[in-house]
Amino acid sequence: MAEFALIDRLRQRAGSRPDVALGIGDDAALIEPPKGQQVVLAVDTLVEGVHFAKGVPASAIGWKALAVNLSDLAAMGAEPAVALLALTLPTDDTAFVDEFATGFSALADTHRVALVGGDTTRGPLAASVTVMGYVPKGKALTRAGAEAGDDLWVTGTLGDAAGALALWKSGIPMLRTGVLRERLDRPAPRLGAGLALRGLATACIDVSDGFLADLGHILAMSGVGADVEADALPLSPALLDAFPDTTARRALQLSGGDDYELCFTAPAKKREAVQAALDAVATPATRVGRITEGASLRLFDADGLPLALPPRRGYVHFIEGGA
Ligand code: ADP
Ligand code: MG
């Protein structure tokens, strides 16, 4: 493969930052982290046929490969800085790489993220991105700090990306799914909200596998339970328009993945402060329940009647193989 020509195309759109002492072109990149900051690292891989379908535009793959990683930094309350890109391509396809770079750099430039290195190999199509960011020492948001009595919040709306995927799987052309498809292909990581929640949220996670599954991680790591009002989950008009009410509210919103919203907890006495902080970064947020003592996750409808938890709460790799 004309690997160097491909790398050069990526390098041209890599961006630069003062904390990058050495970027693409040497054996490794050199970064100078600002004083007093902790380095935050995350990696996520998108594989064709697993995380995106064959035929998804390369620009959307480029965008999403970075977006899912920036979402992890958002959930930590971190500010992103640089990324590494490991790209596996079936062929030496410069048009694909250019289009991929268009999507990747559109999001990278928005958040001042520089591409500082990577790896380019031949094989089944996959993009693995590593991101690095900063958070002031001790200020990171983790999954572990939720306490009984805390409010449970969610940003944006839930279920839209899963709705787009369900429409596509049922044979409805993606073009007709408009807003929902945008949510699946080009998720917007909630970086501003993550920063705004420093010092306010007691625990935080990004919703990638499904709301109940990801909330479950906060509960397990914090050693608490939660009472959730299912009918309070933020629902987009587009999702309600495309699906029967029960499908939207009882399946897609609860268990659908790929939302990349933030699910977080905060003390009830910080309610106004949370609302004001998120208003200031134009991020809608909804209170959907509260944290309880014990370890149980309980769902209720709008009348306060208990609902059964769905059997499968999110996406799990390797479940069929039992690995
Ligand atoms: P090495 O053999 O030393 O690992 P490579 O030939 O793989 O170096 O890469 C050369 C340079 O190009 C390195 O700086 C590497 O980080 C960068 N690079 C390779 N592939 C990519 C990519 N997909 N995106 C960004 N940078 C890349
Ligand atoms: Mg080397």
Side-chain angles (χ1 to χ4, degrees):
M1 175 182 306
E3 183 186 328
F4 298 106
L6 295 181
I7 295 170
D8 203 52
R9 298 178 105 84
L10 291 165
R11 191 177 53 76
Q12 281 167 25
R13 305 168 78 165
S16 65
R17 294 173 53 98
D19 49 346
V20 177
L22 189 59
I24 294 175
D26 214 304
D27 289 313
L30 287 174
I31 309 298
E32 298 202 32
K35 287 222 159 42
Q37 305 278 314
Q38 287 180 308
V39 169
V40 187
L41 292 163
V43 60
D44 254 316
T45 303
L46 301 188
V47 177
E48 185 179 70
V50 179
H51 303 94
F52 60 90
K54 218 181 174 65
V56 168
S59 61
I61 302 166
W63 173 287
K64 190 162 177 177
L66 180 59
V68 301
N69 280 284
L70 294 183
S71 179
D72 283 324
L73 293 190
M76 298 299 290
E79 187 189 335
V82 304
L84 297 165
L85 168 64
L87 201 51
T88 308
L89 300 168
T91 61
D92 175 2
D93 184 345
T94 52
F96 180 93
V97 170
D98 283 345
E99 231 201 287
F100 181 97
T102 297
F104 187 99
S105 61
L107 185 61
D109 294 348
T110 302
H111 295 290
R112 301 195 324 116
V113 172
L115 179 64
V116 297
D119 192 28
T120 307
T121 52
R122 188 192 292 271
L125 183 58
S128 184
V129 173
T130 302
V131 287
M132 194 202 85
Y134 307 120
V135 69
K137 199 168 165 60
K139 295 285 187 234
L141 306 176
T142 72
R143 301 174 176 184
E147 287 183 22
D150 282 357
D151 290 330
L152 178 65
W153 296 79
V154 185
T155 62
T157 58
L158 293 176
D160 299 328
L165 195 60
L167 290 176
W168 176 75
K169 282 186 172 164
S170 67
I172 295 172
M174 275 295 214
L175 281 179
R176 286 181 47 211
T177 66
V179 180
L180 300 182
R181 182 186 171 158
E182 239 353 68
R183 289 295 311 273
L184 178 64
D185 280 355
R186 292 177 192 275
R190 294 292 191 183
L191 286 156
L195 294 188
L197 290 170
R198 282 180 189 167
L200 289 171
T202 49
C204 187
I205 192 168
D206 67 320
V207 181
S208 55
D209 293 335
F211 170 71
L212 291 178
D214 290 315
L215 171 59
H217 295 312
I218 286 187
L219 303 186
M221 297 284 278
S222 299
V224 293
D227 286 352
V228 174
E229 189 188 330
D231 292 314
L233 295 181
L235 179 66
S236 74
L239 193 68
L240 199 52
D241 199 41
F243 290 92
D245 206 82
T246 48
T247 309
R249 292 180 191 278
R250 299 288 179 259
L252 297 171
Q253 285 205 289
L254 292 172
S255 307
D258 265 0
D259 290 308
Y260 302 104
E261 295 295 349
L262 297 182
C263 170
F264 64 95
T265 59
K269 64 176 189 298
K270 299 267 179 75
R271 201 171 281 173
E272 279 77 35
V274 166
Q275 194 63 66
L278 293 179
D279 283 350
V281 292
T283 303
T286 309
R287 266 190 303 122
V288 298
R290 62 184 194 92
I291 298 300
T292 58
E293 281 172 21
S296 59
L297 170 52
R298 300 187 302 178
L299 269 185
F300 299 92
D301 69 10
D303 299 321
L305 296 171
L307 293 169
L309 288 173
R312 186 164 169 269
R313 297 187 204 166
Y315 191 85
V316 183
H317 289 276
F318 304 122
I319 200 166
E320 279 84 8

